[in-house]
């Protein structure tokens, strides 16, 4: 419906998607010390997915893959510390001075958070798949 | 080494499944059991104990823990050693064809069983206990196109898994009363709580070991291919319950009800199983009922708990595993070579299948407890253990064991005589001999003789195993020849003579009576399913508004206990005047949502509510919450665009009653949430300082909320995201089920309603 009627909206969504992804990336990395984090980043990417669905532009299709990646990431972080004899989910923190970025401090929690992001995005894809939301982006669907 | 062997089973499963060519499936599969059997055999008779432990969550006493002592080694030899023979036999039994999935499942079962007998932690034990239930379900249902096999598999799964749940309850109570989850650290416990644990654990063991009245699944499980029956339903899985009773003996043996319940059920099962074995005309079913009967004897001995009885139970476990596997294999060989297992029609097999005949004779004599076979000293030990019991209960036990044994001899005699007699007329046609199908049974039946000849060595293996369960078991021995002045010997000879006469008479009976129906479980299952359908029809009627009303009402009831814990002194109007303004906006927008007739208008008003709440968070000083709320609101707006696209622009008009119900529910739910918030607000976070300090030190971040989410309380997050994934996969499955069934599925009414 929207695709047929409003090229402006479609173009706007198309143009805004990379910017929104950038916002998501910012939120993701900012989460350590400022508001944001993996869940928020996942929501932003989810919103992008939703908008692209409505506009009938391509969007990620395979929710199962997102879940697989996300679950694998969180599980690896959770179990990795066991191998080192540490308790479950114990964090490893790395602090490095990099060119351009200056001092960067991060830990395995970042990977854990990436898993959370992937799962949240997967949830959106799954819901849109479940609702056959792609139908809405097609011209022939009448309101 | 323990880890290596267990992981080898897992690797084996993957390897078998990924074989490019199905032919060597069984050969690849037997590698891991072979290694385990060799390792365990090298430890037989030795006193050393190996442990392996992986602490998972120390604070909760959760660990994966194994301990291989003399008992673990002995049982592993049985599990893995017979496992190897079963894989060889399976190769011959199936004679080609793609059996990769079957071999992998059988190997998975073998590994689960090994983990079960080695477990030193109740949760590890339970995990492998359930794993054997699930893998055995897959194995019994191998012929998935055969509805009888599927029903049998379902029955076996339901009984054993229901028992597993009872066992879980028992273990929870036990861990609570014993104060540890590690089996080797548990001391004897008594008292009411211990009694509850004892009964629950016994029931769990009864289901797995096919004791009355849970025995019904075992004969049905004979629908499985014979390698499965020979392995699971004789030598291994059904022994899990016996092993459990044994392992729990040092802990719960002192509980009053323990031995009384176990012995009573065991002896009744021994009797009833033997009757069943006498009545059936299918050779495999005779063996199945015989197994039920033998398991009864083992259960009785293991729960009797005296030194001699435990010794007898362990000896019986060994002897039974050896001869019963051989018997099953021989019957399976007859089955694949003649196409029949019917005692009434098979004829002339003594000359056409001499190998199977002699296997059946030797293994049968061992089962009947006749010298010179391993079954004899084991049975002698059981009789002597019964003789040691005093008083009226001792007499009853002796009578029970004696009657059960007479019947055992009888059904064994009948089986062998009827199976191999000439019925007159033409002999049954027999397919060509297969080495792989015959060799394992020959080996096992020969082991019966060898075991008798080497009884002192077998004693050296059994006694240390039994003494780990009961120290009083030390000093007993398997006697090749107890001597003519032994009471047990004369009882034993009387049993053999009496049983042989009854058996011979029963074998001449041309048409045995029809089998006793074991369909009660099936009927129960059908009733339960009917009830489930009925309940589903009532509860899951497909109306989304009613679902919401019911859920909201139930959730509202949950806050009633918190009504009293609201601290009214803490309540104050606002921290900042801005909150009052924002709050008014939110309330006004919420009322607007309920009043506006236009759908898009209501959605916008709802958006105002969300943004208002987000602003309240911000004012309160919670930027993280505000950000998340804002993002969620954004997504919800897009969701409305999608959802409203296919709907009318106005809400449909509702009648007065329905409208009142909905308003009432909404108000109630709102009140409930308010109460919940007020009640929990009083609980000031006392550990705030420690969390703040930990965030920077351990988490390495300054955003406390996110450090809590991803580090300090990451286990919660892990659980939440897993729930999220499961829920989302459910959504996917439901929507795909709809497409697959052409849109007519009752399950997806909601989905279609939303779509419309």
């Amino acid at each position: 419906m929207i695709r047929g009627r409003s090229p402006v909206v479609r173009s706007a969504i198309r143009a805004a998607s990379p910017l929104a992804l950038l916002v998501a990336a910012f939120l993701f990395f900012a989460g350590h010390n400022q508001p944001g984090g993996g869940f928020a980043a996942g929501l932003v990417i989810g919103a992008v997915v939703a908008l692209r669905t409505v506009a009938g532009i391509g969007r990620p299709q395979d929710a199962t893959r997102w879940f697989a990646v996300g679950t694998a990431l969180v599980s690896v972080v959770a179990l990795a510390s066991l191998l080192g004899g540490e308790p479950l989910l114990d964090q490893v923190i790395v602090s490095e001075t990099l060119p351009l970025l200056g001092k960067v401090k991060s830990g395995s929690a970042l990977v854990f958070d990436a898993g959370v992001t992937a799962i949240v995005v997967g949830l959106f894809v799954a819901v849109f798949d479940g609702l056959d939301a792609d139908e809405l982006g097609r011209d022939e669907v009448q309101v | 080494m323990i880890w290596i062997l267990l992981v080898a089973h897992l690797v084996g499963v993957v390897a078998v499944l990924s074989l490019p060519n199905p032919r060597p499936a069984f050969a690849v599969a037997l590698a891991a059991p072979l290694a385990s059997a060799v390792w365990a055999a090298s430890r037989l008779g030795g006193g050393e104990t190996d442990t392996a432990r992986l602490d998972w969550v120390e604070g909760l006493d959760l660990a994966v823990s194994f301990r291989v002592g003399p008992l673990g080694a002995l049982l592993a030899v049985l599990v893995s050693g017979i496992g190897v023979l079963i894989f060889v036999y399976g190769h011959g039994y199936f004679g080609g064809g793609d059996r990769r999935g079957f071999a992998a499942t059988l190997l998975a079962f073998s590994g689960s069983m090994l983990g079960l007998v080695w477990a030193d932690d109740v949760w590890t034990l339970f995990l492998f206990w359930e794993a054997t239930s699930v893998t055995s379900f897959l194995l019994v249902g191998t012929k998935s196109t055969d509805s009888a096999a599927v029903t049998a598999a379902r029955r076996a799964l339901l009984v054993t898994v229901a028992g597993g749940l009872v066992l879980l309850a028992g273990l929870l109570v036990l861990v609570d009363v014993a104060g540890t989850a590690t089996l080797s650290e548990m001391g004897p416990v008594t008292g009411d709580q211990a009694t509850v644990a004892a009964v629950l654990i016994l029931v769990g063991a009864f289901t797995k070991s096919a004791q009355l009245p849970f025995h019904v699944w075992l004969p049905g499980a004979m629908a499985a291919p014979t390698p499965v029956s020979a392995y699971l339903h004789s030598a291994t899985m059904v022994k899990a319950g016996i092993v459990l009773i044994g392992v729990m003996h040092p802990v719960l043996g002192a509980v009053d009800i323990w031995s009384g319940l176990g012995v009573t059920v065991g002896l009744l099962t021994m009797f009833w199983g033997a009757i069943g074995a006498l009545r059936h005309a299918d050779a495999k079913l005779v063996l199945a009922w015989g197994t039920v009967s033998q398991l009864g004897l083992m259960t009785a001995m293991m729960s009797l708990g005296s030194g001699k009885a435990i010794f007898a139970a362990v000896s019986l476990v060994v002897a039974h595993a050896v001869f019963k596997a051989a018997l099953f294999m021989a019957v399976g060989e007859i089955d694949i070579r003649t196409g029949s297992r019917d005692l009434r029609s098979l004829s002339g097999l003594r000359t056409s299948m001499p190998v199977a005949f002699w296997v059946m004779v030797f293994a049968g004599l061992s089962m009947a407890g006749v010298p010179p076979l391993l079954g004899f000293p084991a049975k002698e030990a059981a009789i002597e253990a019964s003789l040691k019991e005093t008083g009226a209960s001792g007499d009853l036990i002796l009578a029970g064991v004696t009657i059960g044994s007479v019947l055992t001899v009888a059904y064994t005699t009948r089986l062998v005589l009827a199976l191999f007699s000439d019925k007159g007329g033409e002999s049954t046609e027999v397919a060509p001999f297969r080495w792989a199908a015959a060799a394992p049974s020959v080996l096992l039946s020969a082991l019966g003789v060898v075991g008798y000849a080497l009884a002192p060595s077998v004693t050296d293996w059994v006694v240390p195993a039994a003494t780990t369960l009961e120290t009083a078991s030390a000093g007993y021995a398997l006697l090749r020849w107890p001597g003519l002045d032994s009471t047990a010997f004369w009882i034993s000879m009387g049993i053999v003579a009496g049983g042989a006469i009854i058996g011979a008479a029963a074998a001449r009976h041309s048409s045995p009576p029809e089998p006793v129906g074991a369909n009660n479980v099936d009927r129960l299952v059908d009733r339960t399913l009917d009830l489930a359908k009925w309940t589903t029809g009532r509860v899951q009627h497909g109306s989304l508004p009613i679902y919401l009303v019911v859920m909201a009402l139930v959730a509202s009831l949950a806050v009633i206990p918190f009504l009293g814990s609201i601290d009214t002194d803490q309540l104050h109007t606002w921290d900042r005047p801005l909150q009052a303004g924002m709050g008014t906006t939110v309330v006004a927008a919420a009322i607007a949502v309920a009043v506006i007739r236009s759908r898009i208008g209501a959605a916008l008003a709802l958006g105002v509510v969300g943004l208002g709440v987000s602003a309240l968070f911000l004012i309160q000083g919670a930027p993280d919450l505000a950000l998340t709320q804002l993002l969620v609101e954004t997504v919800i707006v897009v969701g409305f665009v999608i959802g409203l696209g296919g709907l009318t622009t106005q809400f449909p008009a509702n009648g007065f009653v329905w409208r009142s119900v909905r308003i009432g529910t909404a108000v109630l739910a709102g009140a409930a949430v308010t109460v919940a918030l007020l009640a929990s607000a009083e609980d000031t976070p006392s550990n705030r300082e420690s969390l703040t300090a930990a965030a920077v030190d351990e988490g390495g971040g300054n955003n406390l909320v996110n450090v809590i989410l991803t580090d300090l309380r990451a286990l919660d997050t892990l659980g939440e995201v897993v729930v999220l994934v499961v829920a989302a996969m459910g959504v996917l499955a439901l929507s795909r089920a709809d497409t697959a069934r052409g849109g007519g599925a009752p399950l997806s009414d909601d989905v279609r309603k939303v779509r419309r």
Side-chain angles (χ1 to χ4, degrees):
Chain A
M1 63 182 180
I2 294 171
R3 186 167 64 168
R5 287 179 196 166
S6 176
V8 177
V9 172
R10 280 184 63 199
S11 306
I13 291 175
R14 207 186 279 277
S17 303
L19 295 175
L21 289 183
L22 206 61
V23 172
F26 170 75
L27 285 175
F28 178 76
F29 288 106
H32 221 53
N33 296 317
Q34 293 157 26
F39 186 72
L43 285 175
V44 173
I45 301 176
V48 173
V49 170
L51 283 171
R52 290 179 77 94
T53 310
V54 175
I57 322 174
R59 63 163 172 91
Q61 291 293 337
D62 194 350
T64 325
R65 193 167 301 163
W66 286 92
F67 290 139
V69 170
T71 319
L73 287 178
V74 293
S75 319
V76 164
V77 174
L79 297 176
S81 52
L82 287 183
L83 292 181
E86 302 290 326
L88 187 80
L89 282 163
D90 200 49
Q91 221 208 150
V92 185
I93 298 172
V94 190
S95 190
E96 284 282 349
T97 309
L98 294 176
L100 286 179
L101 294 172
K103 191 171 180 232
V104 170
K105 199 166 115 182
S106 189
S108 60
L110 206 64
V111 183
F112 186 81
D113 231 13
V116 173
T117 308
I119 288 172
V120 173
V121 175
L123 181 70
F124 279 96
V125 179
V127 168
F128 291 133
D129 273 353
L131 295 178
D132 265 357
D134 286 331
E135 295 277 321
L136 296 165
R138 286 193 197 115
D139 292 332
E140 57 268 27
V141 175
Q142 296 300 310
V143 178
Chain B
M1 198 63 199
I2 296 173
W3 289 119
I4 295 173
L5 290 172
L6 287 173
V7 171
H9 282 80
L10 201 62
V11 173
V13 170
V14 178
V16 171
L17 283 177
S18 51
L19 277 179
N21 174 5
R23 252 203 95 62
F26 287 102
V28 173
L30 67 73
L34 185 62
S36 312
V38 169
W39 181 71
S42 72
R43 306 165 55 85
L44 276 180
E48 76 265 58
T49 298
D50 264 17
T51 55
R53 186 181 171 89
L54 178 66
D55 276 303
W56 180 32
V57 184
E58 275 173 40
L60 297 175
D61 196 13
L62 287 180
V64 180
S65 169
F66 300 101
R67 182 186 183 86
V68 187
L71 182 68
L74 183 69
L75 292 171
V77 168
L78 292 180
V79 168
S80 298
I82 294 182
V84 170
L85 295 177
I86 292 288
F87 281 113
V88 174
Y89 177 73
H91 184 74
Y93 181 85
F94 289 117
D98 188 356
R99 292 288 168 184
R100 277 175 292 192
F102 177 81
T105 319
L106 200 59
L107 181 60
F109 169 81
S110 182
S112 314
M113 195 65 209
L114 206 56
L116 170 65
V117 297
W118 285 352
D120 188 36
D121 175 276
V122 293
W123 309 129
T124 312
L125 184 129
F126 180 73
L127 199 72
F128 284 102
W129 179 281
E130 292 295 72
T132 59
S133 292
V134 173
T135 45
S136 77
F137 165 72
L138 295 173
L139 289 169
V140 174
T142 300
K143 299 174 197 155
S144 57
T145 48
D146 178 358
S147 68
V150 173
T151 314
R154 185 184 68 178
R155 193 190 304 149
L157 183 73
L158 284 174
V159 173
T160 50
V161 169
L165 288 177
V166 176
L167 172 67
L168 177 63
L171 292 178
L172 282 166
V173 178
L174 178 71
V175 167
D176 187 45
V177 68
T180 172
T182 308
L183 288 169
S184 51
E185 287 171 8
M186 284 183 183
V189 292
T190 47
D192 290 344
Q193 219 182 336
T195 310
V196 173
V199 172
L200 292 174
I201 289 173
L202 273 180
V203 169
F206 290 165
T207 57
K208 199 82 160 182
S209 285
Q211 299 298 294
L212 281 177
F214 309 110
H215 65 289
V216 286
W217 68 266
L218 202 153
M222 292 303 119
T226 302
V228 174
S229 312
Y231 194 34
L232 275 65
H233 308 126
S234 63
T236 52
M237 183 173 102
V238 290
K239 299 283 170 59
I242 316 285
V243 172
L244 178 70
I245 296 177
V247 168
M248 288 296 162
H249 169 76
V251 186
L252 293 168
V255 174
D256 288 338
I257 200 167
W258 183 260
S259 61
L261 184 60
V263 172
T264 312
V265 171
L267 289 179
L268 285 175
T269 307
M270 187 186 185
F271 178 73
W272 185 242
I275 296 287
L278 273 172
R279 291 168 73 97
H280 279 274
D282 178 338
K284 204 172 166 189
L285 278 179
V286 172
L287 290 180
W289 282 95
T291 302
V292 171
S293 170
Q294 294 279 313
L295 290 169
L297 177 60
M298 283 176 248
T299 302
M301 284 299 132
M302 201 59 110
S303 21
L304 190 53
S306 69
K308 183 86 195 184
I310 296 267
F311 169 76
V314 177
S315 311
L316 284 167
V317 165
V318 175
H320 179 254
V322 173
F323 68 67
K324 192 52 74 67
L327 287 169
F328 266 111
M329 286 176 179
V331 166
E333 194 198 345
I334 293 171
D335 188 12
I336 52 168
R337 288 177 64 194
T338 65
S340 169
R341 301 186 304 235
D342 195 331
L343 298 180
R344 292 164 297 185
S345 64
L346 287 168
S347 181
L349 294 186
R350 196 183 323 181
T351 44
S352 55
M353 296 189 67
V355 177
F357 172 68
W358 287 110
V359 167
M360 292 284 283
V361 167
F362 276 99
L365 286 176
S366 190
M367 176 152 83
V370 178
L373 288 135
L374 188 57
F376 169 70
K379 182 66 73 64
E380 284 280 299
I383 295 168
E384 275 178 30
S386 318
L387 280 172
K388 276 181 189 289
E389 297 299 311
T390 50
S393 65
D395 295 341
L396 277 176
I397 292 171
L398 182 63
V401 170
T402 310
I403 295 171
S405 302
V406 168
L407 293 174
T408 303
V409 178
Y411 70 71
T412 313
T413 315
R414 168 173 170 264
L415 174 68
V416 176
L417 288 181
L419 194 54
F420 292 97
S421 66
D422 291 323
K423 309 287 189 302
E426 288 185 24
S427 294
T428 314
E429 277 187 46
V430 178
F433 180 75
R434 290 186 205 164
W435 263 111
S441 59
V442 173
L443 186 62
L444 283 172
S445 63
L447 274 182
V449 187
V450 175
Y452 178 81
L454 298 178
S457 304
V458 180
T459 304
D460 288 343
W461 305 335
V462 168
V463 166
T467 40
T468 56
L469 304 176
E470 171 62 60
T471 44
S473 292
Y476 292 110
L478 288 168
L479 299 175
R480 270 174 290 201
W481 189 248
L484 294 178
D485 53 348
S486 152
T487 325
F489 177 74
W490 289 110
I491 294 179
S492 179
M493 289 302 110
I495 288 171
V496 171
I501 293 166
I502 299 177
R508 263 204 294 280
H509 225 276
S510 58
S511 60
E514 280 307 299
V516 187
N519 300 327
N520 290 326
V521 170
D522 292 343
R523 226 173 291 139
L524 193 68
V525 169
D526 289 339
R527 293 261 167 78
T528 316
L529 288 180
D530 286 346
L531 185 69
K533 258 181 218 149
W534 184 85
T535 321
T536 313
R538 292 286 171 281
V539 181
Q540 305 285 337
H541 34 63
S543 162
L544 206 51
I546 293 182
Y547 284 163
L548 282 175
V549 168
V550 171
M551 283 195 276
L553 286 177
V554 173
S556 309
L557 293 179
V559 299
I560 289 176
F562 299 102
L563 275 175
S565 61
I566 299 175
D567 184 2
T568 43
D569 299 340
Q570 268 205 337
L571 300 179
H572 54 280
T573 333
W574 56 65
D575 294 319
R576 288 168 215 182
L578 198 54
Q579 289 176 326
M582 224 55 236
T584 319
T585 315
V586 169
V587 172
I591 293 173
V593 174
V595 176
I596 295 173
R597 289 293 303 273
S598 151
R599 286 186 198 265
I600 198 87
L604 287 177
L606 205 57
V608 173
V609 173
L611 294 179
V613 170
S614 170
L616 278 174
F617 287 147
L618 203 59
I619 297 167
Q620 190 71 43
D624 262 297
L625 270 180
L627 176 71
T628 311
Q629 174 79 17
L630 204 65
L631 290 170
V632 169
E633 284 305 322
T634 314
V635 173
I636 286 178
V637 168
V638 185
F640 272 119
V641 172
I642 293 175
L644 292 180
L647 295 171
T648 52
T649 49
Q650 302 271 310
F651 286 111
N654 285 311
F656 175 73
V657 176
W658 183 220
R659 198 174 159 80
S660 314
V661 169
R662 288 159 75 137
I663 292 175
T665 311
V667 170
L668 191 65
V673 173
T674 312
V675 168
L677 281 177
L678 289 177
S680 56
E682 167 251 9
D683 188 21
T684 44
S686 54
N687 49 1
R688 184 185 287 163
E689 276 81 30
S690 67
L691 279 177
T692 317
V696 182
D697 294 346
E698 290 180 31
N702 295 321
N703 182 342
L704 181 54
V705 175
N706 278 337
V707 172
I708 288 176
L709 282 177
T710 58
D711 190 19
L712 302 180
R713 295 280 183 274
L715 189 61
D716 293 358
T717 311
L718 186 67
E720 281 154 15
V721 293
V722 169
V723 168
L724 207 60
V725 169
V726 172
M729 294 303 275
V731 170
L732 273 183
L734 281 179
S735 63
R736 285 184 189 159
D738 186 44
T739 340
R741 289 188 228 168
L747 273 174
S748 51
D749 274 359
D750 290 343
V751 177
R752 256 182 287 124
K753 263 189 193 135
V754 172
R755 262 183 229 170
R756 197 176 60 225

